[in-house]
Amino acid sequence: MDRPELGFLLSRLMREVMAREKPILDAAGLEMWDYAVLTALAESDAPTQAQLAASTGRDKTRLIGNLDRLEARGMVAREPDPADRRNRIVSLTSVGAKVLRGCRDAIEAMEAELLADLDPADRAAFERALTALAERSR
Amino acid sequence: MDRPELGFLLSRLMREVMAREKPILDAAGLEMWDYAVLTALAESDAPTQAQLAASTGRDKTRLIGNLDRLEARGMVAREPDPADRRNRIVSLTSVGAKVLRGCRDAIEAMEAELLADLDPADRAAFERALTALAERSR
DNA sequence: GATGATCGTAAGCGTGTGTAGATGATCCGT
DNA sequence: ACGGATCATCTACACACGCTTACGATCATC
């Protein structure tokens, strides 16, 4: 009943996950935020930069630099929205999709290893509960 | 099978938890780190500042400011270690313990509310798995 | 006793982060 | 056609963070 608090547990686990993700992203030459942007891009459809900033939680002025670098490496494309030419529609290129797929596979394998020691039923419940909680607070 | 990644889920949930903790700590005039220090202090016994820094994960030079403020408000006491006077032994005062207890109760209530919607079995498994994972990666 | 190590403290550095204008292009309502 | 609003961008700023260095006090060892 008197377990450590959620915040402490979450932050500790989060640090662990990030530490394990870092070498994977380093190998692909990506920063954490680059990866978050690519992931958000793969899930949402033709977002404007403001929408992308909102969905990733990144500050919109900071997002610009990430997009600059990703665009220079041919992973994303910025094109003016034909419907409203003030907007820039960001899209994932085939190169970007390929890099993202590689990182995502490696990260999923890392996560599987991290969760391997859990009781299978607990693990399923953990993932279910975490997804529900994260989904609700959006 | 293709759920969002752990890192994203964790960071999202973490932001939610912190957002809910903030008003509680604000009411007590505490920063996040202050609260982490007080909590660590309640659990460990007569720690030196270096030990406290290690157990909280805070940089030892950054810890000083927190202790200064907590000490000025009468929540912690710093005394030279009689066994080795280079060390300063930090302890929780009765005032500090009282403030900590109040925050902790409020935060536990907040967490209970946050988790209330979960299936009871899932919730128990979630807490169990999270504790195990956080424990292992220490 | 002299030397080297350890602890708490202070100050500086580089980085990451959010905010606040200012600008140019563009859209919208009148 | 005009004025106000919106979007991406740039610049400057303040701030928190962790890391490094330096210093004085203290201990441990020879």
Side-chain angles (χ1 to χ4, degrees):
Chain A
M1 191 88 277
D2 222 44
R3 60 150 169 70
E5 296 179 14
L6 267 190
F8 292 170
L9 296 176
L10 288 174
S11 77
R12 210 187 286 270
L13 180 53
M14 182 117 182
R15 234 183 304 154
E16 176 72 14
V17 170
M18 281 192 166
R20 295 194 186 206
E21 274 188 17
K22 186 157 190 316
I24 296 172
L25 297 182
D26 280 354
L30 294 179
E31 318 242 335
M32 286 280 183
W33 276 115
D34 295 339
Y35 183 62
V37 168
L38 290 182
T39 301
L41 223 39
E43 283 164 1
S44 67
D45 207 55
T48 174
Q49 290 187 202
Q51 292 168 345
L52 193 57
S55 71
T56 55
R58 186 135 177 86
D59 188 87
K60 92 184 148 112
T61 79
R62 296 276 151 190
L63 177 64
I64 298 175
N66 292 106
L67 290 179
D68 285 347
R69 203 151 23 89
L70 290 173
E71 189 178 31
R73 298 179 60 193
M75 297 183 183
V76 306
R78 271 191 279 208
E79 290 174 25
D81 182 353
D84 182 344
R85 296 215 308 283
R86 291 171 302 182
N87 293 339
R88 303 285 195 93
I89 293 186
V90 189
S91 61
L92 204 58
T93 66
S94 61
V95 174
K98 198 168 174 178
V99 172
L100 176 61
R101 173 51 50 192
C103 285
R104 194 170 173 92
D105 288 348
I107 287 177
E108 273 178 19
M110 176 276 286
E111 291 184 357
E113 185 192 1
L114 182 69
L115 302 175
D117 289 354
L118 292 179
D119 173 81
D122 274 15
R123 170 177 168 176
F126 173 72
E127 298 189 10
R128 193 164 47 237
L130 183 57
T131 304
L133 288 172
E135 181 70 20
R136 185 144 45 81
S137 58
R138 194 171 18 145
Chain B
M1 190 93 275
D2 221 47
R3 61 150 169 68
E5 297 180 11
L6 266 189
F8 291 170
L9 296 175
L10 288 173
S11 76
R12 209 187 286 267
L13 180 53
M14 180 119 179
R15 232 181 306 154
E16 176 72 14
V17 170
M18 283 192 165
R20 295 195 186 205
E21 273 188 18
K22 188 156 189 314
I24 296 173
L25 297 182
D26 280 354
L30 295 178
E31 317 243 334
M32 286 282 183
W33 275 114
D34 296 338
Y35 182 62
V37 167
L38 290 182
T39 302
L41 221 41
E43 282 164 3
S44 67
D45 207 54
T48 174
Q49 289 188 201
Q51 293 169 342
L52 194 56
S55 72
T56 54
R58 188 141 178 80
D59 189 87
K60 95 183 145 117
T61 77
R62 290 268 143 198
L63 177 64
I64 298 175
N66 294 105
L67 290 180
D68 285 348
R69 205 149 20 91
L70 290 173
E71 190 178 29
R73 298 179 59 194
M75 297 184 185
V76 305
R78 272 191 281 207
E79 291 174 23
D81 182 354
D84 182 345
R85 296 215 308 285
R86 291 172 300 182
N87 294 339
R88 304 283 196 92
I89 293 185
V90 189
S91 61
L92 205 57
T93 67
S94 61
V95 174
K98 197 168 174 179
V99 173
L100 176 61
R101 173 49 52 192
C103 286
R104 194 168 173 91
D105 288 347
I107 287 177
E108 273 178 20
M110 176 274 287
E111 291 184 358
E113 185 193 0
L114 182 67
L115 301 175
D117 289 354
L118 292 180
D119 173 83
D122 274 13
R123 170 176 169 175
F126 173 72
E127 298 189 10
R128 194 163 48 236
L130 183 58
T131 304
L133 289 171
E135 182 70 19
R136 183 146 44 81
S137 57
R138 193 178 17 150

